[in-house]
Amino acid sequence: MTAPPDDCLARNEWICGEYVRSRRHILFDAVLQHVELTGVSVLIALVVAVPLAVLARRWGWAATPVLAVTTVLYTIPSLAMFSLLLPFYGLSAALVVAGLVLYSLTLLVRNILAGLRAVPEETRQAARGMGYGPLRLLLTVELPLALPAAMAGLRIATVSAVSLVTVGAIVGFGGLGNLIYAGMNTYFKAQVLTASVLCVVIAVAADLLLLAVQRLITPWTRTRRG
């Protein structure tokens, strides 16, 4: 017997609207988990990266070890990274988050540090001459001027995290990666393609959202380009 002409699921086609309609709740849950894992990981990495970059900027000797450690972490393959973290976190979402945080640190620390180093020294001197202390100088002068470079790093780290979340499927917490891996094991074409496309959509949407935020909080960059 042959499948009905409108039964794309039975024919196992790559593009199948019936798959999206019949599995929309599964897809929604996978997308939600994917976004949550990405957002939490990048946020934690940002909270850790800012102090590290400030430390490396304040004390020059700290820059080399900080950059060296974060670079080494980034070179570890994702499967090996999750395996190394497994004794500490077990088969849990925390394992995936920890791995993504470590990967994101390299991109965030480097870009934030580059932004801080790009602040003109005369600007710092002028602020000190106006009575700015170290903390006020950092919060109101250095970090705002470092925002363009920091946001560029944040965008790259976020898009990379969206991709790396899929590897979490090996421990059952991979968002859309769960569907991709399951679909590949059963050669379920519609599931593989739909989940993959949704990953791309999430990455593009996150990048555009962060770009919009960057333009909103750094209006002087638009003026300068104009």
Side-chain angles (χ1 to χ4, degrees), residues 72-88 95 99 102-103 164 167 170:
V72 168
L73 290 173
Y74 196 78
T75 62
I76 301 175
S78 55
L79 290 177
M81 176 70 80
F82 288 160
S83 298
L84 292 172
L85 295 173
L86 187 59
F88 303 99
L95 171 66
L102 294 177
Y103 279 125
L164 288 171
V167 184
I170 63 173

Side-chain angles (χ1 to χ4, degrees), residues 48-175:
V48 176
V50 171
L52 286 177
V54 171
L55 175 67
R57 176 67 184 87
R58 285 286 183 269
W59 294 284
W61 60 266
T64 298
V66 167
L67 292 176
V69 170
T70 55
T71 300
V72 168
L73 290 173
Y74 196 78
T75 62
I76 301 175
S78 55
L79 290 177
M81 176 70 80
F82 288 160
S83 298
L84 292 172
L85 295 173
L86 187 59
F88 303 99
Y89 296 98
L91 299 175
S92 65
L95 171 66
V96 180
V97 170
L100 294 178
V101 168
L102 294 177
Y103 279 125
S104 300
L105 281 177
T106 301
L107 300 169
L108 292 172
V109 171
R110 282 187 176 276
N111 279 270
I112 296 171
L113 179 58
L116 291 172
R117 285 174 169 173
V119 177
E121 185 58 33
E122 55 268 26
T123 301
R124 293 191 177 92
Q125 294 295 339
R128 294 190 185 101
M130 296 172 62
Y132 282 44
L135 182 59
R136 186 183 178 191
L137 175 64
L138 173 66
L139 296 178
T140 62
V141 177
E142 293 179 313
L143 285 178
L145 291 178
L147 273 176
M151 288 300 297
L154 181 61
R155 289 170 59 194
I156 298 173
T158 301
V159 172
S160 297
V162 171
S163 173
L164 288 171
V165 165
T166 58
V167 184
I170 63 173
V171 295
F173 294 93

Side-chain angles (χ1 to χ4, degrees), residues 191-212:
Q191 181 163 295
V192 172
L193 182 61
T194 303
S196 299
V197 169
L198 286 174
C199 282
V200 175
V201 170
I202 292 174
V204 172
D207 188 55
L208 291 176
L209 176 61
L210 290 174
L211 178 60

